[in-house]
Amino acid sequence: MEQQLTFADKKRKTVERAEFTEDGRYLRKVRSFVLRTGRLSDYQREMMNANWSKLGLDYQAQPFDFRAIFGNDNPVVLEIGFGMGKSLVEMAQQNPERNYIGIEVHTPGVGACIAYALEKDVKNLRVICHDATEILRDSIAEGSLAGLQLYFPDPWQKAKHHKRRIVQPEFVQQVLTKLNSNGFIHFATDWENYAEHMLAVLRQFDQQLHNTSETNDFIPRPDFRPLTKFEARGHKLGHAVWDLYFTKR
């Protein structure tokens, strides 16, 4: 007997909206992520299935109504690629005056994030399991975000894969339209080449963005960005991390 697919299982297969050319052919897109087939545990699956209506948001072709979602007018910060969600939950817990939305395409991380949010009784967080570029394009209203966080995205180390890096001029331009006045962009990476790439891309928007770095490049890790287990392990091995923090002019 074939096992019935649950909501969480189906999410693993529908993280992007299929698009087609005028003659009906599937439109292949350059994506910044690969859908890994890591095991979705029974616990993570149950967390998604049982709590999605409370903590999850689905892609929609029109902008989200943040006031209706959170029940307040607090500023909204969007994080792309939250991994297992521990640092995002901790940030939401530490900043109850802000609302947080996290996007992650890998369902084990989504399930783990929901479980941790419930454990910490965090109310100011919602999660999305979908392609972030589509969410930004269609589901986020212009001028509605207080900030955009992108921590340790896939660096796509090989030069031939650099086009897959999510931080590109088109991406930053799109983010700028979604930020409100004085909104921020905060990137972090442990790959020096990607850090330099990020800085070069952001510098293309000098008229619209202000670099808060005193040296006009990177900032020390700010206290408000929780130290992840991955990052702490890297520190012990002597790995550096580069943070960039820009604000909208």
Side-chain angles (χ1 to χ4, degrees):
M1 181 176 176
E2 186 176 344
Q3 184 178 4
Q4 187 72 27
L5 288 180
T6 69
F7 168 82
D9 296 302
K10 292 175 182 176
K11 270 292 181 187
R12 291 164 71 83
K13 304 174 182 296
T14 58
V15 297
E16 69 169 342
R17 190 167 60 93
E19 296 180 13
F20 300 88
T21 60
E22 290 184 0
D23 59 355
R25 289 179 292 112
Y26 175 69
L27 184 63
R28 292 185 61 84
K29 291 170 282 188
V30 176
R31 298 196 302 190
S32 62
F33 60 89
V34 172
L35 277 179
R36 297 187 293 270
T37 55
R39 181 176 179 271
L40 179 67
S41 72
D42 291 341
Y43 180 64
Q44 292 162 350
R45 180 182 289 106
E46 175 58 25
M47 287 296 99
M48 284 187 70
N49 289 337
N51 299 287
W52 192 259
S53 61
K54 180 166 60 174
L55 292 174
L57 293 176
D58 291 308
Y59 163 86
Q60 59 184 49
Q62 61 278 344
F64 294 125
D65 181 343
F66 292 147
R67 195 183 200 296
I69 290 169
F70 292 104
N72 58 55
D73 291 316
N74 291 346
V76 177
V77 175
L78 178 68
E79 179 166 328
I80 294 175
F82 57 74
M84 300 305 280
K86 187 173 187 292
S87 63
L88 177 58
V89 170
E90 291 174 355
M91 189 174 284
Q93 183 183 34
Q94 293 164 11
N95 298 279
E97 75 286 355
R98 285 180 169 179
N99 296 320
Y100 288 85
I101 294 179
I103 302 176
E104 177 57 60
V105 295
H106 303 292
T107 48
V110 175
C113 183
I114 288 175
Y116 195 47
L118 290 170
E119 178 186 329
K120 295 298 182 180
D121 195 29
V122 166
K123 303 287 199 300
N124 58 328
L125 172 65
R126 300 292 184 274
V127 296
I128 298 172
C129 188
H130 198 85
D131 183 348
T133 60
E134 293 182 355
I135 294 294
L136 270 175
R137 184 189 66 199
D138 300 334
S139 308
I140 305 294
E142 292 188 3
S144 66
L145 294 179
L148 184 284
Q149 300 175 172
L150 179 69
Y151 302 148
F152 307 103
D154 193 323
W156 294 102
Q157 304 99 303
K158 295 181 180 178
K160 66 179 180 179
H161 290 154
H162 285 183
K163 64 185 177 182
R164 292 186 176 274
R165 290 175 167 176
I166 190 171
V167 178
Q168 305 290 351
E170 298 80 9
F171 172 75
V172 173
Q173 183 61 62
Q174 187 178 52
V175 171
L176 275 168
T177 66
K178 308 300 181 178
L179 291 179
N180 59 29
S181 57
N182 300 315
F184 70 84
I185 293 176
H186 186 188
F187 295 156
T189 180
D190 60 338
W191 284 86
E192 185 173 12
N193 176 268
Y194 200 2
E196 295 291 348
H197 169 86
M198 290 175 169
L199 181 60
V201 169
L202 289 168
R203 280 177 171 169
Q204 295 180 34
F205 298 89
D206 279 347
Q207 298 300 311
Q208 297 140 287
L209 288 169
H210 165 68
N211 189 353
T212 64
S213 166
E214 294 182 359
T215 52
N216 199 35
D217 46 21
F218 308 102
I219 63 169
R221 185 185 75 85
D223 292 338
F224 59 78
R225 180 172 69 75
L227 188 69
T228 66
K229 184 186 298 185
F230 164 81
E231 188 178 358
R233 186 166 60 243
H235 281 323
K236 290 181 180 179
L237 296 173
H239 298 171
V241 170
W242 292 266
D243 279 78
L244 302 99
Y245 195 93
F246 283 64
T247 55
K248 188 174 179 180
R249 294 186 188 276

